[in-house]
Amino acid sequence: MPSKTITRADLVDALARRTAMARPDANRLLTRTLELIQEALVEGETVKLSRFGNFNVRAKRERIGRNPKTGAEVPITP
């Protein structure tokens, strides 16, 4: 079963349709909502969207990767 990727434009269109909001207003609302989520995550908070999911920033350690062209090992910073 093929799946469709939902884009930001899809979200704006759905928001505008379901709220009878003008598309530019729906775009501003979505943008501001995503900014607020991002700001909370940067401050180290956990964001919980009921019936959707929880978001938090995880600390990762340094690891070794490979340059796909040369095969050389390269450290990837956290």
Side-chain angles (χ1 to χ4, degrees):
M1 172 167 55
S3 62
K4 179 186 183 305
T5 301
I6 297 175
T7 65
R8 183 185 192 107
D10 295 332
L11 293 173
V12 169
D13 288 339
L15 183 59
R17 260 194 332 272
R18 292 179 183 194
T19 62
M21 187 182 289
R23 195 172 189 289
D25 293 336
N27 186 36
R28 280 193 293 277
L29 177 62
L30 179 62
T31 298
R32 185 60 186 141
T33 301
L34 295 174
E35 286 171 353
L36 290 170
I37 291 170
Q38 179 181 356
E39 289 169 10
L41 291 171
V42 166
E43 292 173 8
E45 298 176 35
T46 297
V47 176
K48 179 180 179 182
L49 301 177
S50 295
R51 297 173 36 186
F52 185 74
N54 298 324
F55 300 87
N56 57 9
V57 177
R58 295 184 301 162
K60 296 185 101 178
R61 58 183 174 83
E62 184 172 300
R63 59 192 171 96
I64 300 296
R66 291 196 185 280
N67 179 327
K69 279 188 175 178
T70 65
E73 290 186 350
V74 180
I76 300 171
T77 59

Coordinates of all heavy atoms in Angstrom, one line a residue:
M1 N 0.8 -1.2 0.0 CA 0.0 0.0 0.0 C 0.9 1.2 0.0 O 1.7 1.5 0.9 CB -0.9 0.0 1.2 CG -1.7 1.2 1.4 SD -3.0 1.2 2.6 CE -2.3 0.6 4.1
P2 N 0.9 2.1 -1.0 CA 1.7 3.3 -1.1 C 1.2 4.3 -0.1 O 0.0 4.5 0.2 CB 1.5 3.8 -2.5 CG 0.3 3.1 -3.1 CD 0.1 1.9 -2.2
S3 N 2.2 5.0 0.5 CA 1.9 6.0 1.5 C 2.2 7.4 0.9 O 3.1 7.5 0.1 CB 2.6 5.8 2.8 OG 4.0 5.9 2.6
K4 N 1.4 8.4 1.3 CA 1.7 9.7 0.9 C 2.3 10.5 1.9 O 2.0 10.4 3.1 CB 0.3 10.4 0.5 CG 0.4 11.8 0.0 CD -0.9 12.4 -0.2 CE -0.9 13.8 -0.7 NZ -0.1 14.8 0.0
T5 N 3.3 11.3 1.6 CA 4.0 12.1 2.5 C 3.1 13.4 2.7 O 2.8 14.0 1.7 CB 5.4 12.5 2.0 OG1 6.2 11.3 1.9 CG2 6.1 13.5 3.0
I6 N 2.8 13.8 3.9 CA 2.0 15.0 4.1 C 3.0 16.1 4.3 O 3.9 16.1 5.1 CB 1.2 14.8 5.4 CG1 0.2 13.7 5.2 CG2 0.5 16.2 5.7 CD1 -0.6 13.4 6.4
T7 N 2.9 17.1 3.4 CA 3.7 18.3 3.4 C 3.2 19.4 4.3 O 2.0 19.4 4.7 CB 4.0 18.8 2.0 OG1 2.7 19.3 1.5 CG2 4.5 17.7 1.1
R8 N 4.0 20.4 4.5 CA 3.6 21.6 5.2 C 2.4 22.3 4.4 O 1.4 22.7 5.0 CB 4.7 22.6 5.3 CG 4.5 23.8 6.0 CD 5.7 24.7 5.9 NE 5.6 25.8 6.9 CZ 6.2 25.9 8.0 NH1 7.2 25.0 8.3 NH2 6.0 26.9 8.8
A9 N 2.4 22.3 3.1 CA 1.4 22.8 2.3 C 0.1 22.1 2.5 O -1.0 22.7 2.6 CB 1.7 22.9 0.8
D10 N 0.2 20.7 2.6 CA -1.0 19.9 2.9 C -1.6 20.3 4.3 O -2.9 20.4 4.4 CB -0.7 18.4 2.9 CG -0.2 17.9 1.6 OD1 -0.7 18.5 0.6 OD2 0.5 16.9 1.6
L11 N -0.8 20.5 5.3 CA -1.3 20.9 6.6 C -2.0 22.3 6.5 O -3.0 22.5 7.1 CB -0.2 20.9 7.6 CG 0.4 19.5 7.9 CD1 1.7 19.7 8.8 CD2 -0.6 18.6 8.6
V12 N -1.4 23.2 5.8 CA -1.9 24.5 5.7 C -3.3 24.5 5.0 O -4.3 25.1 5.5 CB -1.0 25.5 5.0 CG1 -1.7 26.8 4.6 CG2 0.2 25.8 5.8
D13 N -3.4 23.7 3.9 CA -4.6 23.6 3.2 C -5.7 23.0 4.1 O -6.9 23.4 4.1 CB -4.5 22.7 1.9 CG -3.7 23.4 0.9 OD1 -3.6 24.7 0.9 OD2 -3.1 22.8 0.0
A14 N -5.4 21.9 4.8 CA -6.4 21.2 5.7 C -6.8 22.2 6.8 O -8.0 22.3 7.1 CB -5.8 20.0 6.3
L15 N -5.9 22.9 7.4 CA -6.2 23.9 8.4 C -7.1 25.0 7.9 O -8.2 25.3 8.5 CB -5.0 24.5 9.0 CG -5.1 25.4 10.2 CD1 -5.8 24.8 11.3 CD2 -3.7 25.9 10.6
A16 N -6.8 25.5 6.7 CA -7.7 26.5 6.1 C -9.1 26.0 5.8 O -10.1 26.7 6.1 CB -7.0 27.1 4.8
R17 N -9.1 24.8 5.2 CA -10.5 24.2 4.9 C -11.3 24.0 6.1 O -12.5 24.3 6.2 CB -10.3 22.9 4.2 CG -10.4 23.0 2.7 CD -10.5 21.6 2.0 NE -9.9 20.5 2.7 CZ -8.6 20.1 2.6 NH1 -7.8 20.8 1.8 NH2 -8.1 19.1 3.3
R18 N -10.7 23.4 7.1 CA -11.5 23.0 8.3 C -11.9 24.1 9.2 O -12.8 23.9 10.1 CB -10.7 21.9 9.1 CG -10.6 20.6 8.3 CD -9.9 19.6 9.0 NE -9.8 18.4 8.2 CZ -9.4 17.2 8.6 NH1 -9.1 17.1 9.9 NH2 -9.3 16.2 7.8
T19 N -11.2 25.2 9.1 CA -11.5 26.4 10.0 C -12.1 27.5 9.3 O -12.4 28.6 9.9 CB -10.2 26.8 10.8 OG1 -9.3 27.3 9.8 CG2 -9.6 25.7 11.6
A20 N -12.2 27.4 8.0 CA -12.7 28.6 7.2 C -11.8 29.8 7.3 O -12.2 30.9 7.2 CB -14.1 28.9 7.5
M21 N -10.5 29.5 7.6 CA -9.5 30.5 7.7 C -8.8 30.8 6.4 O -8.7 29.9 5.5 CB -8.4 30.0 8.7 CG -7.4 30.9 9.2 SD -6.2 30.1 10.3 CE -7.2 29.9 11.7
A22 N -8.4 32.0 6.1 CA -7.7 32.3 4.9 C -6.4 31.5 4.9 O -5.8 31.3 6.0 CB -7.5 33.8 4.8
R23 N -6.0 31.1 3.7 CA -4.7 30.3 3.6 C -3.5 31.0 4.2 O -2.7 30.4 5.0 CB -4.5 29.9 2.2 CG -3.5 28.8 2.0 CD -3.4 28.3 0.6 NE -2.6 27.1 0.5 CZ -1.3 27.1 0.6 NH1 -0.6 28.2 0.9 NH2 -0.6 26.0 0.5
P24 N -3.3 32.3 4.0 CA -2.1 33.0 4.6 C -2.2 33.0 6.1 O -1.2 32.8 6.8 CB -2.2 34.4 4.1 CG -3.0 34.3 2.8 CD -4.0 33.2 3.0
D25 N -3.4 33.1 6.7 CA -3.6 33.1 8.1 C -3.3 31.7 8.7 O -2.7 31.5 9.7 CB -5.0 33.5 8.5 CG -5.3 34.9 8.2 OD1 -4.3 35.7 8.2 OD2 -6.5 35.3 8.1
A26 N -3.7 30.6 7.9 CA -3.5 29.3 8.3 C -2.0 29.0 8.3 O -1.4 28.3 9.2 CB -4.2 28.3 7.4
N27 N -1.3 29.5 7.3 CA 0.2 29.4 7.2 C 0.9 30.0 8.4 O 1.8 29.4 9.0 CB 0.7 29.9 5.9 CG 2.1 29.7 5.6 OD1 2.6 28.6 6.0 ND2 2.8 30.6 5.1
R28 N 0.4 31.2 8.7 CA 1.1 31.9 9.9 C 0.8 31.1 11.2 O 1.7 31.0 12.0 CB 0.5 33.3 10.0 CG 1.2 34.3 9.1 CD 0.9 35.7 9.4 NE -0.5 36.1 9.2 CZ -1.0 36.4 8.0 NH1 -0.3 36.5 7.0 NH2 -2.3 36.7 7.9
L29 N -0.4 30.6 11.3 CA -0.7 29.8 12.5 C 0.1 28.5 12.6 O 0.7 28.2 13.7 CB -2.2 29.4 12.5 CG -2.7 28.5 13.7 CD1 -2.5 29.3 15.0 CD2 -4.1 28.2 13.5
L30 N 0.3 27.8 11.5 CA 1.1 26.6 11.5 C 2.5 27.0 11.8 O 3.2 26.3 12.6 CB 1.0 25.9 10.2 CG 1.8 24.6 10.1 CD1 1.4 23.6 11.1 CD2 1.7 24.0 8.7
T31 N 3.0 28.0 11.2 CA 4.4 28.4 11.3 C 4.7 28.8 12.8 O 5.7 28.3 13.4 CB 4.8 29.6 10.4 OG1 4.6 29.2 9.1 CG2 6.2 30.1 10.7
R32 N 3.8 29.5 13.4 CA 4.0 29.9 14.8 C 3.9 28.7 15.8 O 4.7 28.6 16.7 CB 3.0 31.0 15.2 CG 3.2 31.5 16.6 CD 4.6 32.2 16.7 NE 4.8 32.6 18.1 CZ 6.0 32.5 18.7 NH1 7.0 32.0 18.1 NH2 6.1 32.8 20.0
T33 N 3.0 27.8 15.5 CA 2.9 26.6 16.3 C 4.2 25.8 16.2 O 4.7 25.4 17.3 CB 1.7 25.7 15.8 OG1 0.5 26.5 15.9 CG2 1.6 24.5 16.6
L34 N 4.7 25.6 15.0 CA 6.0 24.9 14.9 C 7.1 25.6 15.6 O 8.0 25.0 16.2 CB 6.3 24.6 13.4 CG 5.3 23.7 12.7 CD1 5.6 23.6 11.2 CD2 5.2 22.3 13.4
E35 N 7.1 26.9 15.5 CA 8.2 27.7 16.2 C 8.1 27.5 17.7 O 9.1 27.4 18.4 CB 8.0 29.2 15.9 CG 8.5 29.6 14.5 CD 8.1 31.0 14.1 OE1 7.4 31.7 14.9 OE2 8.5 31.5 13.0
L36 N 6.9 27.5 18.3 CA 6.7 27.3 19.7 C 7.2 25.9 20.1 O 7.9 25.8 21.2 CB 5.3 27.5 20.1 CG 4.8 28.9 20.0 CD1 3.3 29.0 20.2 CD2 5.5 29.8 21.1
I37 N 6.9 24.9 19.3 CA 7.4 23.6 19.6 C 8.9 23.5 19.6 O 9.6 23.0 20.5 CB 6.8 22.5 18.6 CG1 5.3 22.4 18.9 CG2 7.5 21.2 18.7 CD1 4.6 21.6 17.8
Q38 N 9.5 24.1 18.6 CA 11.0 24.2 18.4 C 11.6 24.9 19.6 O 12.6 24.4 20.2 CB 11.4 24.9 17.1 CG 12.9 24.9 16.9 CD 13.2 25.6 15.6 OE1 12.4 26.0 14.8 NE2 14.5 25.8 15.4
E39 N 11.0 26.0 20.0 CA 11.6 26.8 21.1 C 11.6 26.0 22.4 O 12.5 26.0 23.2 CB 10.8 28.1 21.3 CG 11.1 29.1 20.2 CD 10.1 30.3 20.3 OE1 9.4 30.4 21.3 OE2 10.1 31.1 19.3
A40 N 10.5 25.2 22.7 CA 10.4 24.4 23.9 C 11.4 23.3 23.8 O 12.0 23.0 24.9 CB 9.0 23.8 24.0
L41 N 11.6 22.7 22.7 CA 12.6 21.6 22.6 C 14.0 22.2 22.8 O 14.8 21.5 23.5 CB 12.5 20.9 21.2 CG 11.2 20.1 21.0 CD1 11.2 19.6 19.6 CD2 11.2 18.9 22.0
V42 N 14.3 23.3 22.3 CA 15.6 23.9 22.5 C 15.9 24.2 23.9 O 17.0 24.1 24.4 CB 15.8 25.2 21.6 CG1 17.0 26.0 22.0 CG2 15.8 24.9 20.1
E43 N 14.8 24.6 24.7 CA 14.9 24.9 26.1 C 15.0 23.6 26.9 O 15.0 23.6 28.2 CB 13.8 25.8 26.6 CG 13.9 27.2 26.0 CD 12.6 28.0 26.3 OE1 11.8 27.6 27.1 OE2 12.5 29.1 25.7
G44 N 15.0 22.4 26.3 CA 15.1 21.2 27.0 C 13.8 20.6 27.5 O 13.7 19.6 28.3
E45 N 12.6 21.2 27.1 CA 11.3 20.7 27.6 C 10.9 19.5 26.7 O 11.4 19.4 25.6 CB 10.3 21.8 27.5 CG 10.6 23.0 28.4 CD 9.6 24.1 28.2 OE1 8.4 23.8 27.9 OE2 10.0 25.3 28.3
T46 N 10.0 18.7 27.2 CA 9.3 17.7 26.4 C 8.0 18.2 25.9 O 7.3 18.9 26.7 CB 9.1 16.4 27.3 OG1 10.3 15.9 27.7 CG2 8.3 15.4 26.5
V47 N 7.7 18.0 24.7 CA 6.5 18.5 24.1 C 5.6 17.3 23.9 O 6.0 16.3 23.3 CB 6.7 19.2 22.7 CG1 5.4 19.6 22.1 CG2 7.6 20.4 22.9
K48 N 4.4 17.3 24.5 CA 3.4 16.3 24.4 C 2.2 16.8 23.6 O 1.6 17.7 24.0 CB 3.0 15.7 25.7 CG 2.0 14.6 25.6 CD 1.5 14.1 26.9 CE 0.5 13.0 26.7 NZ 0.0 12.5 28.0
L49 N 1.9 16.1 22.5 CA 0.7 16.5 21.7 C -0.2 15.3 21.9 O 0.0 14.2 21.4 CB 1.0 16.7 20.2 CG 2.0 17.8 19.9 CD1 2.3 17.9 18.4 CD2 1.5 19.1 20.4
S50 N -1.3 15.5 22.6 CA -2.2 14.4 22.9 C -2.7 13.7 21.7 O -3.0 14.4 20.7 CB -3.4 14.9 23.7 OG -3.0 15.4 25.0
R51 N -2.8 12.4 21.7 CA -3.2 11.6 20.6 C -2.3 11.7 19.4 O -2.7 11.3 18.3 CB -4.7 11.9 20.2 CG -5.7 11.6 21.3 CD -7.0 12.0 21.1 NE -7.4 11.9 19.7 CZ -8.6 12.3 19.2 NH1 -9.5 12.9 20.0 NH2 -8.9 12.2 17.9
F52 N -1.1 12.2 19.6 CA -0.2 12.3 18.5 C 1.2 11.7 18.8 O 1.7 10.8 18.2 CB -0.1 13.7 17.9 CG 0.8 13.8 16.7 CD1 0.3 13.4 15.5 CD2 2.1 14.3 16.8 CE1 1.1 13.4 14.3 CE2 2.9 14.4 15.6 CZ 2.4 14.0 14.4
G53 N 1.8 12.3 19.9 CA 3.1 11.8 20.3 C 3.9 12.8 21.2 O 3.4 13.9 21.5
N54 N 5.0 12.3 21.7 CA 5.9 13.1 22.6 C 7.1 13.4 21.8 O 7.7 12.5 21.1 CB 6.2 12.3 23.8 CG 5.0 12.0 24.7 OD1 4.0 12.8 24.7 ND2 4.9 10.9 25.3
F55 N 7.7 14.6 22.0 CA 8.9 15.0 21.4 C 9.9 15.5 22.4 O 9.5 16.2 23.4 CB 8.7 16.1 20.4 CG 7.7 15.7 19.3 CD1 6.3 15.9 19.5 CD2 8.1 15.2 18.1 CE1 5.4 15.5 18.5 CE2 7.2 14.8 17.1 CZ 5.9 15.0 17.3
N56 N 11.1 15.0 22.3 CA 12.2 15.6 23.2 C 13.5 15.4 22.4 O 13.6 14.7 21.5 CB 12.2 14.8 24.5 CG 12.4 13.3 24.4 OD1 12.7 12.8 23.3 ND2 12.3 12.7 25.5
V57 N 14.5 16.2 22.9 CA 15.8 16.2 22.3 C 16.7 15.1 23.0 O 16.7 15.1 24.3 CB 16.5 17.6 22.4 CG1 17.9 17.6 21.8 CG2 15.6 18.6 21.6
R58 N 17.3 14.3 22.3 CA 18.2 13.3 22.9 C 19.6 13.6 22.7 O 20.0 14.2 21.7 CB 17.9 11.9 22.2 CG 16.6 11.4 22.5 CD 16.4 10.0 21.9 NE 16.7 10.0 20.4 CZ 17.0 8.9 19.7 NH1 17.1 7.8 20.3 NH2 17.2 9.0 18.4
A59 N 20.4 13.4 23.7 CA 21.9 13.6 23.7 C 22.5 12.4 23.0 O 22.2 11.3 23.4 CB 22.4 13.8 25.0
K60 N 23.3 12.6 22.0 CA 24.0 11.5 21.3 C 25.5 11.7 21.5 O 26.0 12.8 21.7 CB 23.7 11.5 19.9 CG 22.2 11.3 19.6 CD 21.9 11.2 18.1 CE 21.8 9.7 17.8 NZ 21.5 9.5 16.4
R61 N 26.2 10.6 21.5 CA 27.6 10.6 21.7 C 28.3 10.7 20.3 O 27.6 10.5 19.3 CB 28.1 9.4 22.4 CG 27.8 8.1 21.8 CD 28.2 6.9 22.6 NE 27.8 5.7 22.1 CZ 28.4 5.0 21.1 NH1 29.5 5.5 20.6 NH2 27.9 3.9 20.6
E62 N 29.6 11.0 20.3 CA 30.3 11.1 19.0 C 30.4 9.7 18.5 O 30.5 8.7 19.2 CB 31.7 11.7 19.3 CG 32.5 11.9 18.0 CD 33.7 12.6 18.2 OE1 33.7 13.8 18.6 OE2 34.8 12.0 17.9
R63 N 30.4 9.6 17.1 CA 30.5 8.3 16.5 C 31.3 8.4 15.2 O 31.6 9.5 14.8 CB 29.1 7.7 16.2 CG 28.3 8.6 15.3 CD 26.8 8.1 15.3 NE 26.0 9.0 14.6 CZ 25.6 8.9 13.3 NH1 26.0 7.9 12.6 NH2 24.8 9.8 12.8
I64 N 31.7 7.3 14.7 CA 32.5 7.3 13.4 C 31.6 7.0 12.2 O 30.8 6.1 12.3 CB 33.6 6.2 13.5 CG1 34.5 6.5 14.7 CG2 34.4 6.2 12.2 CD1 35.3 7.8 14.6
G65 N 31.7 7.8 11.2 CA 31.0 7.6 10.0 C 32.0 7.4 8.8 O 33.2 7.5 9.0
R66 N 31.4 7.2 7.7 CA 32.3 7.0 6.5 C 31.9 8.0 5.4 O 30.7 8.2 5.1 CB 32.2 5.6 5.9 CG 32.8 4.6 6.8 CD 33.0 3.3 6.0 NE 33.5 2.2 6.9 CZ 34.8 2.1 7.3 NH1 35.7 2.9 6.9 NH2 35.1 1.1 8.1
N67 N 32.9 8.5 4.7 CA 32.7 9.4 3.6 C 32.3 8.4 2.4 O 33.0 7.5 2.1 CB 33.9 10.1 3.2 CG 33.8 11.0 2.0 OD1 33.0 10.7 1.1 ND2 34.4 12.1 2.0
P68 N 31.0 8.5 1.9 CA 30.6 7.6 0.8 C 31.5 7.6 -0.4 O 31.6 6.6 -1.1 CB 29.2 8.0 0.5 CG 28.9 9.3 1.2 CD 30.0 9.5 2.2
K69 N 32.1 8.7 -0.7 CA 33.0 8.8 -2.0 C 34.3 8.1 -1.7 O 34.8 7.3 -2.6 CB 33.2 10.2 -2.4 CG 32.1 10.9 -3.1 CD 32.5 12.2 -3.6 CE 31.4 12.8 -4.5 NZ 31.8 14.1 -5.0
T70 N 34.9 8.4 -0.6 CA 36.3 7.9 -0.4 C 36.4 6.7 0.5 O 37.4 6.0 0.5 CB 37.2 9.0 0.2 OG1 36.7 9.3 1.5 CG2 37.2 10.3 -0.7
G71 N 35.4 6.5 1.3 CA 35.4 5.4 2.3 C 36.2 5.7 3.5 O 36.3 4.9 4.4
A72 N 36.7 7.0 3.6 CA 37.5 7.4 4.8 C 36.6 7.5 6.0 O 35.5 8.0 5.9 CB 38.2 8.7 4.5
E73 N 37.1 7.1 7.1 CA 36.4 7.3 8.4 C 36.4 8.8 8.8 O 37.5 9.4 8.7 CB 37.0 6.4 9.5 CG 36.7 4.9 9.2 CD 37.2 4.1 10.4 OE1 37.9 4.6 11.3 OE2 36.9 2.9 10.4
V74 N 35.3 9.2 9.3 CA 35.2 10.6 9.7 C 34.4 10.7 11.0 O 33.3 10.0 11.2 CB 34.4 11.4 8.7 CG1 34.3 12.9 9.1 CG2 35.0 11.3 7.3
P75 N 34.9 11.4 12.0 CA 34.1 11.5 13.3 C 32.9 12.4 13.1 O 33.0 13.4 12.4 CB 35.1 12.1 14.3 CG 36.1 12.8 13.4 CD 36.2 12.1 12.1
I76 N 31.8 11.9 13.6 CA 30.5 12.7 13.6 C 30.3 13.2 15.0 O 30.1 12.4 15.9 CB 29.3 11.8 13.1 CG1 29.6 11.3 11.7 CG2 28.0 12.6 13.1 CD1 28.6 10.3 11.2
T77 N 30.3 14.5 15.1 CA 30.1 15.1 16.4 C 28.7 14.9 17.0 O 27.8 14.8 16.2 CB 30.4 16.6 16.4 OG1 29.6 17.3 15.5 CG2 31.9 16.9 16.0
P78 N 28.5 15.0 18.3 CA 27.2 14.8 18.9 C 26.2 15.9 18.4 O 26.6 17.0 18.1 CB 27.4 14.8 20.3 CG 28.9 15.0 20.6 CD 29.5 15.2 19.3

